Amino acid sequence: MFNSEEVIQWESGKTINSIAAAQGIRIRRRCRPRYPSEGSGDDKAVPRNILEQIVWDKEVEVSQRKAKKPLKSVVESSEHAPPARDFIGALTAAHRRNGVPALIAEVKKASPSRGVLRENFNPVEIAQAYEKNGAACLSILTDEKHFQGSFENLETVRNSGVQCPLLCKEFVIDIWQIYYARSKGADAILLIAAVLPDLDMKYMLRICKNLGMTALIEVHDEKELDRVLRIDGVELIGINNRSLETFVVDTSNTRMLMEKRGDIIKEKGILVVGESGLFTPDDVAYVHSAGVSAVLVGESLIKEEDPGRAIAGLFGKELLS
């Protein structure tokens, strides 16, 4: 890993943005101590899209959090957390049990594109309803600024008696976030290929493995998928039908990528999760026929009066727990 081309480029003086751009990553990093909307002149930057805005804000947030709780402290806290639960095992068992994609049900209050999705938002009640109605795993949004989530929600759900493995749905840019998520009870964490250079993903995968966590690596296009497939140790890939740069959704994206790379994915034994744009049994059946073993669904459930009961409507049948 440490003899990689990226390390050589880094040592030769190339910036993180130039290294990332060479891999097709369009999201620039700012590495500034304050929010990009602050300041003036050259210091006041304009993000090119929603994802870049989120990443720039996340850089400030993580910097501030690290100042209050250094990495060493967070690593020690993670070591005292209960053992991580088997995220992939739960998905595989649910898929086999129900004959439909396993459900990762998302506990999400808001999004940048849709605004507030649920005014009466009680993360524990929602998580318990999801579990009762057949969700294999849960995804907990932890981004505060753009999704009105929190690590406190993650910790509260973990301590509520819910047995489902938990995915920390975070915009990860720093290993600090992985250790912090583990200390709050996360069993899995999201890594986004559109944001992270290959070396970062390799290093973060190694950390996840050491912590017993699962990494869900999210891709949107063919170039991102090819980058991820070249990395050893990947077990779980999410194909997002939504572009995180434009937030446009196209469910045929999953089928297109699986038709092109499905054989390699199967050969490597990687489990695939379909993400975004799934609202009906036909939508779920469409991505299932493309080769996904699980789906991650938030909006179509959380907006319903009873999110738990909405699961049967999404799949066209009740799921066995």
Side-chain angles (χ1 to χ4, degrees), residues 9-257:
Q9 291 175 337
W10 185 273
E11 290 176 341
S12 68
K14 286 197 173 185
T15 67
I16 185 172
N17 283 334
S18 63
I19 293 171
Q23 296 174 12
I25 297 173
R26 296 179 292 274
I27 302 304
R28 299 168 296 171
R29 299 289 286 273
R30 287 276 293 166
C31 305
R32 299 294 176 88
R34 57 174 179 249
Y35 290 107
S37 57
E38 300 171 350
S40 60
D42 292 338
D43 199 40
K44 188 174 182 179
V46 178
R48 291 185 289 207
N49 52 59
I50 301 171
L51 180 57
E52 193 164 84
Q53 174 76 70
I54 292 171
V55 169
W56 289 2
D57 290 340
K58 189 60 64 176
E59 287 180 324
V60 180
E61 177 196 325
V62 173
S63 176
Q64 293 173 348
R65 285 181 177 271
K66 288 171 73 175
K68 294 178 182 177
K69 193 164 187 178
L71 178 61
K72 182 180 178 181
S73 174
V74 175
V75 170
E76 290 174 353
S77 296
S78 72
E79 291 170 350
H80 293 102
R85 298 176 187 186
D86 186 356
F87 196 87
I88 291 178
L91 296 179
T92 302
H95 184 213
R96 189 182 303 117
R97 184 167 60 243
N98 288 292
V100 294
L103 174 62
I104 307 170
E106 192 150 86
V107 180
K108 174 167 69 173
K109 182 175 182 178
S111 78
S113 60
R114 301 289 188 180
V116 175
L117 300 170
R118 189 176 188 84
E119 293 285 355
N120 180 25
F121 182 78
N122 184 315
V124 169
E125 287 183 2
I126 295 166
Q128 290 173 339
Y130 282 155
E131 182 174 59
K132 180 181 176 182
N133 286 276
C137 300
L138 304 179
S139 168
I140 313 293
L141 260 295
T142 52
D143 179 77
E144 295 184 17
K145 190 174 179 66
H146 297 277
F147 290 84
Q148 297 187 37
S150 70
F151 281 97
E152 287 69 32
N153 287 348
L154 173 65
E155 185 174 33
T156 301
V157 171
R158 178 75 297 158
N159 293 333
S160 69
V162 167
Q163 297 301 307
C164 285
L166 303 183
L167 169 74
C168 175
K169 188 78 174 288
E170 171 72 337
F171 292 83
V172 174
I173 57 169
D174 191 292
I175 62 170
W176 185 95
Q177 293 160 281
I178 301 175
Y179 287 107
Y180 192 61
R182 179 80 276 272
S183 74
K184 296 297 183 181
D187 306 294
I189 196 158
L190 181 72
L191 304 178
I192 302 175
V195 173
L196 298 169
D198 296 352
L199 189 62
D200 283 3
M201 286 194 285
K202 292 174 186 176
Y203 185 39
M204 290 175 177
L205 270 170
R206 180 174 290 188
I207 289 171
C208 287
K209 186 173 182 179
N210 289 342
L211 291 171
M213 297 177 74
T214 299
L216 170 60
I217 304 187
E218 182 176 286
V219 303
H220 174 67
D221 59 31
E222 189 175 350
K223 188 161 189 175
E224 291 173 2
L225 180 55
D226 285 342
R227 285 175 50 218
V228 172
L229 289 174
R230 286 193 293 267
I231 296 173
D232 291 334
V234 174
E235 298 179 292
L236 189 64
I237 291 177
I239 297 179
N240 198 342
N241 295 314
R242 174 181 286 114
S243 165
L244 292 179
E245 295 184 28
T246 65
F247 273 57
V248 172
V249 177
D250 180 3
T251 53
S252 68
N253 190 53
T254 295
R255 180 175 291 278
M256 182 269 290
L257 292 180

